[in-house]
Amino acid sequence: MKIGFIGLGNMGAPMAANLVKAGHEVTGFDTAGVTVAGVATAASAAEAATGADVVITMLPNGAILRAVAAEVIPAMTKGAALVDCSTVDVDSARAVAADAQAAGLLAVDAPVSGGTGGATAGTLTFMAGGSEAAFAKAKPLFDIMGQKAVHCGEAGAGQAAKICNNMILGVTMIATCEAFALADKLGLDRQKMFDVVSTSSGYSWTMNAYCPAPGVGPQSPADNGYKPGFAAELMLKDLRLSQQAAESADADTPMGKAAAALYAQFVEAEDGRGMDFSAMLPRFEKRGRS
Ligand code: NAD
C-alpha cells in the first residue's frame, strides 16, 4: 500500500518504520522535521496524503488533529482511508470522521495502548471506531504495527474505549498506591501486602502486573527509579479527556474526576512530570493526612 504518515514522534516514528519493514511505501511528514529511515519525507501533510491508500496520523491532541485533517482530507483520493491513531477527545474524533466521510473517504479512530515499547516491537493494541469497511481497510496495517485490534463500534468508539480503560487505570493506580502508603504506616510489610492483595479481591492490573512498590511483584518502573513506562503527564492527559467526555455526555464520574485532580497536582505542582504514573506511591509515602 501507499501510506502517508503524519506525526513521526515517539510513537509515530517506530510505527512508520514497521510499515516500511513490512514492504509498504511510506511517505511521512512531521512539523519538527523528523525523518525516519526508509520513509520518504514530504514537504507538507497534504503532500504526504496525496495518492495514498491510507493516511495515518499520530499527533499530540484533538486541535492539531482537526487542523491536519482539514489539510489532508481535500488532498486524499476518494475511497482512501484516514486512520487516526492519536489519543484525542471523542468529539474531535467524530468531527474528523464526519468530514472524511463527507469527502468520500473511509475513517477510523484507532488509539493505541502499549507505549513506545509496543510501537517499536509492533505489539500495540488498537481500539478502533468506524464502519466495517473502514476497519477492514486498516486491519492489515494494525496487524503489522500491533498484535491486537478490536473494532469497538462506530466513529469515536475507539477513543471512548481508550479513555474509559485509562480512567480505570488511573483510579486503580491511585487506590493501589494509597493502600500501600497506609499499609506502611500500619507497619505491614510490602511483600506481605502484595502476597495478600494480588490473590484477594483487591487485585488489579496495577497491583499484579505493574506493582508500584519497588522490589515487590514483577519487574516494573518502580524497580527502575520510576522512569516511565507510562509517564504521569500522559495519564493526566487521558484522565482529562475522560472528564471532557463525561462533561459532554453528562456522565457522573467522581473517581475519574478525583484522579484527574490528583495527577494534575502531581504533574503541575509537585515533582511528577517525567516520572512514571506509579510514582504516586512515593508521593503518598511522604504525606500525612492533611
Ligand atoms: P510526540 O509528541 O512524541 O509526537 C507527536 C509528533 O507530532 C511530534 O513529532 C510533533 O512534531 C508532530 N506534530 C505536531 N503537530 C504536527 C502537525 N501539525 N503536523 C505534523 N506533525 C505534527 O507524541 P507521542 O508520544 O508519539 O504520542 C502521539 C500520540 O499517541 C498522542 O496522542 C499520545 O497521547 C498517544 N499515545 C502515546 C503513548 C506513549 O507512550 N508515548 C502511548 C499511547 C498513546
Side-chain angles (χ1 to χ4, degrees):
M1 276 195 223
K2 272 192 77 177
I3 300 168
F5 207 114
I6 299 162
L8 299 167
N10 293 323
M11 295 291 289
M15 290 164 72
N18 283 334
L19 294 173
V20 169
K21 231 184 280 167
H24 291 291
E25 191 187 321
V26 184
T27 302
F29 174 71
D30 190 297
T31 41
V34 186
T35 56
V36 176
V39 175
T41 304
S44 67
E47 187 183 308
T50 303
D53 302 299
V54 175
V55 172
I56 300 175
T57 48
M58 196 52 173
L59 297 162
N61 60 49
I64 293 175
L65 170 66
R66 285 180 194 242
V68 167
E71 201 193 324
V72 301
I73 288 172
M76 287 175 67
T77 314
K78 271 197 189 0
L82 178 58
V83 180
D84 176 45
C85 296
S86 331
T87 304
V88 303
D89 57 290
V90 176
D91 292 342
S92 292
R94 289 191 173 140
V96 165
D99 289 349
Q101 280 156 8
L105 303 173
L106 298 167
V108 188
D109 56 288
V112 302
S113 76
T116 51
T120 304
T123 56
L124 294 169
T125 294
F126 289 85
M127 295 149 248
S131 66
E132 286 293 344
F135 181 71
K137 180 132 185 169
K139 178 75 168 42
L141 304 183
F142 296 155
D143 290 343
I144 293 164
M145 298 184 287
Q147 62 184 2
K148 194 177 163 94
V150 181
H151 188 196
C152 300
E154 289 305 315
Q159 297 295 349
K162 164 99 189 174
I163 58 172
C164 289
N165 179 74
N166 281 16
M167 187 171 82
I168 296 172
L169 178 62
V171 167
T172 50
M173 178 55 83
I174 289 170
T176 301
C177 291
E178 69 181 25
F180 262 118
L182 172 60
D184 288 347
K185 293 203 173 176
L186 297 176
L188 179 60
D189 178 71
R190 285 185 168 179
Q191 184 63 50
K192 301 294 177 202
M193 166 84 172
F194 176 84
D195 291 347
V196 171
V197 176
S198 65
T199 55
S200 300
S201 47
Y203 84 102
S204 67
W205 184 85
T206 58
M207 176 60 86
N208 292 37
Y210 202 93
C211 184
V216 177
Q219 193 73 19
S220 70
D223 300 306
N224 191 22
Y226 294 99
K227 195 168 156 276
F230 185 44
E233 60 269 27
L234 291 179
M235 173 48 81
L236 174 59
K237 172 189 171 178
D238 292 356
L239 285 167
R240 283 187 166 146
L241 289 175
S242 77
Q243 294 315 290
Q244 192 180 334
E247 195 71 47
S248 101
D250 189 29
D252 188 20
T253 57
M255 302 301 286
K257 188 176 176 185
L262 269 167
Y263 274 104
Q265 191 178 330
F266 186 46
V267 168
E268 289 166 359
E270 301 168 354
D271 52 3
R273 186 175 296 279
M275 304 281 277
D276 188 74
F277 81 122
S278 61
M280 271 287 165
L281 174 52
R283 175 193 182 275
F284 281 121
E285 234 176 88
K286 284 185 237 138
R287 297 170 64 92
R289 189 98 184 118
S290 57

